């Protein structure tokens, strides 16, 4: 098996590269390093079964030789990153998905799209099931990401229905673990960086908004199972254990005994989803998947990583 992973130098992408290599695949990692890091794949660079192509997938890409699977994970994915790069975000969700689908079609390869819980917007249905159409503000600050991913799902289904490409769509909920960027603006790296520096934790709003955090190894396992399945309709992959942002801040403070860190309340950003929790019934039934790593364990492992890079 030879697998192309766009965004392979990113947080999730680099863990996917490792997993696919461990499963015996040859991996071609494609990344333009806009938000990905060379450091994430440095330990793979000398392997004969791994290659790296520095390329922006929003431009067409030719790969020599056979390809069995294309995993499209390239995109800025944290709110701070897509706010800083709104046009590349729209382009990679639209043109990048088109190019990645074209590659899969030309090679007769399976295609897997990294979609997101953001396609549900600020949801009015809780928990979120795959048959919920969402509540998205197209012109708000998150619109560039949400609408790009909604387009990406639409063109993926069109390639499946019109061209017969064997496609998969994973809707990824909040994920965390080693190789997140300390400064990507997401809540977990922000809080961990702050607690390790003894600074106050910046809780937005009153911290009563919720998220459900999945450890990256669990996510990668769900993605691997989905690729091997025959399921073409979207599947949520995430951890269904929901927590408020304020509770998360307190848990992270408790991980560092004796820290001087307190809590500093800041304004809530526009269109920040109030509640988010995946319904993972489809993943359980179709893939036999559910998360295995609980938050206490995952947070400890992730804090060790941030300690090593801070
Ligand atoms: N958040 C926070 N403090 C921070 C960063 C984020 O309270 O320093 C909140 C943010 O308002 C949101 C939640 O944490 O409600 C998760 O934000 P993140 O950027 O990680 O991702 P999102 O789930 O919103 O895409």
């Amino acid at each position: 098996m030879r697998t192309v992973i766009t965004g392979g130098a990113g947080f999730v992408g680099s863990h996917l590269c490792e997993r696919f290599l461990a499963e015996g695949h040859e991996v071609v990692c494609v990344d333009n390093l806009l938000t990905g890091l060379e450091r994430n794949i440095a330990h793979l660079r000398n392997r004969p079964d791994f290659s790296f192509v520095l390329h922006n997938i929003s431009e067409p890409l030719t790969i020599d030789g056979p390809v069995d699977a294309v995993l499209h994970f390239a995109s800025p994915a944290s709110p701070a990153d897509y706010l800083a790069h709104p046009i590349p975000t729209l382009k990679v969700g639209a043109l990048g998905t088109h190019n990645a689908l074209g590659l899969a079609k030309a090679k007769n390869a399976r295609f897997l799209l990294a979609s997101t819980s953001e396609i549900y917007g600020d949801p009015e249905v809780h928990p979120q099931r795959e048959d919920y159409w969402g509540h998205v503000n197209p012109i708000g600050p998150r619109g560039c990401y949400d609408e790009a991913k909604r387009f990406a799902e639409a063109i993926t289904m069109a390639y499946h229905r019109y061209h017969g490409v064997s496609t998969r769509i994973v809707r990824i909920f909040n994920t965390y673990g080693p190789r997140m960027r300390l400064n990507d603006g997401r809540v977990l790296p922000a809080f961990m960086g702050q607690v390790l520096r003894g600074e106050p934790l910046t809780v937005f709003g009153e911290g009563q908004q919720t998220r459900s955090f999945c450890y990256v190894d669990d996510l990668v396992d769900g993605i691997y199972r989905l690729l091997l399945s025959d399921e073409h309709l979207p599947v949520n992959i995430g951890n269904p254990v929901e927590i408020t942002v304020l509770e998360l801040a307190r848990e992270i403070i408790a991980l560092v005994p004796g820290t001087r860190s307190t809590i500093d309340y800041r304004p809530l950003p526009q269109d920040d989803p109030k509640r988010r929790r995946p319904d993972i019934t489809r993943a359980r039934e179709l893939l036999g998947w559910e998360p295995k790593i609980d938050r206490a364990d995952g947070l400890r492992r992730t804090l060790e990583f941030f300690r090593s890079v801070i």
Side-chain angles (χ1 to χ4, degrees):
M1 294 281 280
R2 188 159 179 251
T3 296
V4 172
I5 304 180
T6 78
F11 159 51
V12 173
S14 63
H15 287 276
L16 282 172
C17 289
E18 282 179 342
R19 174 68 189 261
F20 277 74
L21 289 167
E23 297 288 347
H25 292 234
E26 188 182 327
V27 170
V28 181
C29 166
V30 179
D31 205 299
N32 68 345
L33 303 178
L34 177 65
T35 58
L37 296 173
E38 226 161 349
R39 182 178 77 206
N40 289 342
I41 50 165
H43 59 299
L44 307 175
R45 287 298 284 272
N46 291 329
R47 291 179 62 135
D49 48 0
F50 180 84
S51 55
F52 175 67
V53 181
L54 180 65
H55 179 81
N56 181 354
I57 193 62
S58 298
E59 306 291 334
L61 173 67
T62 313
I63 300 263
D64 291 332
V67 173
D68 301 289
V70 177
L71 276 59
H72 182 41
F73 278 70
S75 178
S78 80
D81 284 343
Y82 55 72
L83 266 176
H85 306 289
I87 294 165
T89 300
L90 281 154
K91 287 176 79 173
V92 78
L95 309 178
T97 306
H98 185 214
N99 290 332
L101 279 162
L103 178 66
K105 176 168 167 273
K107 301 289 185 180
N108 205 12
R110 285 189 181 194
F111 177 85
L112 187 147
L113 171 71
S115 185
T116 165
S117 56
E118 280 288 322
I119 68 111
Y120 301 121
D122 187 4
E124 296 156 306
V125 167
H126 196 77
Q128 291 79 54
R129 283 163 40 127
E130 291 89 343
D131 56 7
Y132 176 50
W133 292 354
H135 180 227
V136 170
N137 176 3
I139 58 165
R142 292 176 177 250
C144 61
Y145 185 64
D146 302 10
E147 297 294 5
K149 289 294 190 181
R150 289 170 69 97
F151 176 89
E153 288 200 4
I155 194 172
T156 298
M157 290 309 295
Y159 264 65
H160 173 63
R161 292 185 178 125
Y162 188 75
H163 287 313
V165 175
S166 181
T167 59
R168 315 280 184 275
I169 298 173
V170 58
R171 290 186 180 152
I172 300 172
F173 283 65
N174 292 68
T175 301
Y176 70 101
R179 304 206 193 112
M180 293 185 96
R181 283 188 0 260
L182 203 49
N183 63 348
D184 81 358
R186 287 186 172 117
V187 66
L188 206 129
F191 286 177
M192 288 203 167
Q194 289 158 347
V195 82
L196 289 172
R197 292 187 298 260
E199 295 168 359
L201 273 60
T202 51
V203 169
F204 297 166
E206 290 169 13
Q208 294 309 306
Q209 66 276 35
T210 68
R211 294 295 184 271
S212 308
F213 295 94
C214 184
Y215 191 71
V216 63
D217 291 357
D218 281 331
L219 170 76
V220 164
D221 191 49
I223 291 168
Y224 191 74
R225 286 171 188 243
L226 177 60
L227 184 71
L228 297 188
S229 80
D230 286 322
E231 184 55 41
H232 301 297
L233 294 174
V235 178
N236 289 338
I237 297 284
N239 190 315
V241 180
E242 187 180 4
I243 178 178
T244 68
V245 165
L246 184 59
E247 283 166 338
L248 179 72
R250 294 201 170 120
E251 281 187 7
I252 290 176
I253 288 176
L255 287 175
V256 183
T259 179
R260 285 170 289 138
S261 289
T262 51
I263 288 173
D264 184 13
Y265 293 91
R266 300 275 180 89
L268 190 66
Q270 187 194 333
D271 296 344
D272 199 283
K274 285 178 274 304
R275 297 186 73 186
R276 185 184 284 155
R277 173 158 76 96
D279 181 318
I280 59 165
T281 307
R282 276 170 56 75
R284 278 201 179 102
E285 288 175 357
L286 297 168
L287 313 176
W289 176 88
E290 61 184 0
K292 294 197 170 63
I293 296 158
D294 66 20
R295 204 170 52 240
D297 189 15
L299 288 181
R300 240 179 293 113
R301 295 191 206 184
T302 308
L303 190 74
E304 283 320 302
F305 165 76
F306 284 124
R307 246 190 239 286
S308 73
V309 294
I310 204 157

